[in-house]
Amino acid sequence: MKQFDLVSLDMFQTLVNVDSRIEQIWKPIMSNTYTYKAAEEHAQLLLGYFFEHWVQLKNTKQFFLIKEVYERSFVSVFEHLNISYDPIAASKILLDEHTLSEFYEDTLKCLDRLSMEYKICIIRDADDAMIPGFYPDYGIDIFTSERYKSYKNDDANTMFKEMLKFYNIDPRKVIHVGDSVSDVVGAKREGIIACWLNRNKKIWDHEVKPDFVIETLNDLEEIL
């Protein structure tokens, strides 16, 4: 008898690698000053500002799109680096490139295997415009923050609640796999089994612990 009936997956940095698009994101912005090393540094700076603006917007208790966070973050980056570029245009480039993110080498094998035995869904903190289009090929249902006006680790926990309601399923028969604290905390808040995908061998330092830890999607087979 199978332990789980539904496998829920995060998207970015779990199934697809956004870092694979660094060159395509930053070349138009940096123009003739572009180097890959500088682009990586700019991307890290952007990520730092992203989390800063994320917290500020979250404190408003109002729903906001990822696009808005990135637009504010690009404003901060461009001011910091004295870059003259439209932050709205930069944000559009970044969101468009999210849809072209490359699969990790373990992704397609994992999806092929899962699709033969399990129901699969994707739960992702993302605008609809950011989502790569491969998921219908695997019969995957998708739950995005834009669609449900909620994020995985907010107080309402709407996306996980709606996922359980959609499938009319016991949360103990669901395993959610993702790379972030939000994936683990949001899932466990609803009684869902949480699996942390730790591709970069980081140290887990949050009070709420994952039920399982894997370093590659290939390791998921041993759990299932």
Side-chain angles (χ1 to χ4, degrees):
M1 185 175 178
K2 291 191 299 185
Q3 183 177 358
F4 303 105
D5 293 332
L6 174 66
V7 179
S8 170
L9 300 162
D10 177 47
M11 174 73 82
F12 299 111
Q13 310 309 94
T14 296
L15 299 177
V16 298
N17 182 10
V18 179
D19 293 340
S20 66
R21 309 305 296 176
I22 285 178
E23 179 178 356
Q24 291 79 5
I25 292 168
W26 288 97
K27 258 191 174 179
I29 296 170
M30 298 173 67
S31 189
N32 60 355
T33 66
Y34 174 85
T35 66
Y36 190 81
K37 184 175 185 298
E40 284 187 310
E41 292 171 353
H42 291 8
Q44 285 302 308
L45 183 62
L46 180 70
L47 186 62
Y49 279 121
F50 179 91
F51 288 123
E52 180 180 314
H53 289 294
W54 176 277
V55 171
Q56 291 173 359
L57 286 167
K58 193 171 182 181
N59 287 339
T60 67
K61 305 296 184 183
Q62 300 293 318
F63 178 76
F64 51 88
L65 291 173
I66 298 291
K67 177 180 72 170
E68 183 176 353
V69 188
Y70 274 122
E71 287 173 358
R72 295 184 181 209
S73 302
F74 273 116
V75 168
S76 298
V77 168
F78 294 162
E79 288 177 351
H80 184 104
L81 298 174
N82 196 27
I83 292 176
S84 178
Y85 200 89
D86 181 1
I88 295 176
S91 179
K92 185 178 187 309
I93 291 171
L94 188 144
L95 267 62
D96 287 346
E97 291 300 331
H98 269 69
T99 69
L100 302 173
S101 297
E102 296 176 8
F103 291 116
Y104 287 100
E105 62 180 16
D106 54 3
T107 299
L108 292 180
K109 180 182 176 182
C110 177
L111 290 178
D112 286 338
R113 187 172 62 248
L114 290 176
S115 63
M116 290 189 294
E117 298 186 44
Y118 299 92
K119 294 176 183 176
I120 314 171
C121 71
I122 290 173
I123 294 186
R124 180 59 203 172
D125 287 341
D127 299 354
D128 292 345
M130 299 168 63
I131 302 296
F134 68 86
Y135 62 91
D137 297 337
Y138 293 89
I140 297 175
D141 298 305
I142 192 161
F143 300 80
T144 66
S145 52
E146 180 175 0
R147 195 170 304 175
Y148 292 96
K149 303 294 185 288
S150 177
Y151 288 101
K152 278 186 283 196
N153 194 21
D154 62 19
D155 293 337
N157 223 32
T158 301
M159 282 197 291
F160 285 108
K161 283 184 169 68
E162 289 296 326
M163 179 263 282
L164 294 175
K165 186 189 302 182
F166 180 84
Y167 291 102
N168 189 26
I169 193 170
D170 183 335
R172 293 169 297 180
K173 299 294 287 182
V174 182
I175 184 168
H176 178 72
V177 184
D179 68 300
S180 72
V181 170
S182 294
D183 287 296
V184 172
V185 174
K188 288 183 71 72
R189 188 183 290 129
E190 295 305 316
I192 295 166
I193 305 303
C195 179
W196 181 40
L197 177 57
N198 184 18
R199 291 189 181 278
N200 299 317
K201 299 183 179 180
K202 297 179 180 179
I203 303 298
W204 185 267
D205 59 359
H206 195 278
E207 180 181 355
V208 178
K209 307 296 184 186
D211 297 292
F212 298 99
V213 179
I214 58 176
E215 293 181 358
T216 169
L217 290 174
N218 294 328
D219 298 334
L220 191 57
E221 189 169 2
E222 297 179 15
I223 299 171
L224 299 176

